[in-house]
Amino acid sequence: MTEERVTAPAGRMAPREPGDADAAPEPVGPTAAELEDRWRRTAADLENLRKRCAREIGRERMAEREVVATAFLPVLDSIDRALTHAGSDPRSIVEGVRALREQALAVMTGLGYSREDETGVPFDPARHEVVGVVEAGGEKARPGWVAEVVRPGYGSGERQLRPAAVTVVRAPGG
């Protein structure tokens, strides 16, 4: 006769063989203490993982702040130069401000946030915020289209910092 080993789910006792009335049942699987130990170790591992992830996120945020600050350093340098030479020629201030604007726009574009300031395009609520409605004045003004950009937007799609504030052409009789 061959012996078969019978296993039971954790915490249950294996069935006894016939004739083993005096024998104590044999536990099958891990004991309650072993299961509790596993649970505590797993909980500790999870807590360590949470702490490690929080540290890594903090490091990544600091790294991204450094990237942005480094990108704006040339703009600050140009402001300093413009202020140093501002007294010599008032026109140089206007030229300096234009150059600063171009540098700042280049930084924003480099960070993935291009300027959105197009007129004569269909109004898109995902890209535009209506701040006014104007009457159609001319052949190029089409109802529901952007007539003027009051404040430009930056970014596009899911990476939008802010929508462009625009005026929209009203439909005739609307």
Side-chain angles (χ1 to χ4, degrees):
M1 186 159 149
T2 62
E3 274 188 43
E4 285 185 29
R5 177 136 177 113
V6 178
T7 59
R12 295 202 178 161
M13 302 297 179
R16 290 189 250 165
E17 294 291 322
D20 279 345
D22 295 335
E26 201 178 289
V28 177
T31 65
E34 291 171 335
L35 289 174
E36 184 177 357
D37 182 58
R38 286 183 193 172
W39 174 78
R40 288 184 189 278
R41 289 176 188 270
T42 302
D45 287 345
L46 179 60
E47 185 60 26
N48 290 338
L49 177 65
R50 284 182 183 150
K51 289 176 182 177
R52 186 172 67 240
C53 285
R55 282 191 307 270
E56 288 176 11
I57 288 170
R59 279 195 294 266
E60 287 298 318
R61 283 184 179 154
M62 287 303 294
E64 284 301 312
R65 286 179 183 156
E66 289 175 11
V67 167
V68 173
T70 302
F72 269 103
L73 284 176
V75 176
L76 291 173
D77 293 340
S78 294
I79 291 171
D80 290 339
R81 280 193 303 277
L83 290 174
T84 302
H85 300 292
S88 61
D89 183 15
R91 286 180 294 206
S92 67
I93 294 174
V94 173
E95 292 171 18
V97 170
R98 284 191 180 124
L100 287 172
R101 178 181 178 272
E102 293 304 315
Q103 276 185 317
L105 286 173
V107 168
M108 293 296 286
T109 301
L111 293 171
Y113 299 104
S114 59
R115 183 179 172 106
E116 298 288 328
D117 60 355
E118 292 179 288
T119 59
V121 296
F123 170 75
D124 179 0
R127 295 178 36 218
H128 303 116
E129 173 187 353
V130 176
V131 294
V133 179
V134 296
E135 297 295 327
E139 295 178 16
K140 292 184 177 181
R142 297 167 70 177
W145 285 47
V146 174
E148 178 187 8
V149 176
V150 177
R151 184 194 70 219
Y154 289 91
S156 60
E158 291 184 19
R159 294 203 55 196
Q160 187 176 44
L161 288 178
R162 73 172 186 205
V166 300
T167 59
V168 179
V169 178
R170 176 181 300 176

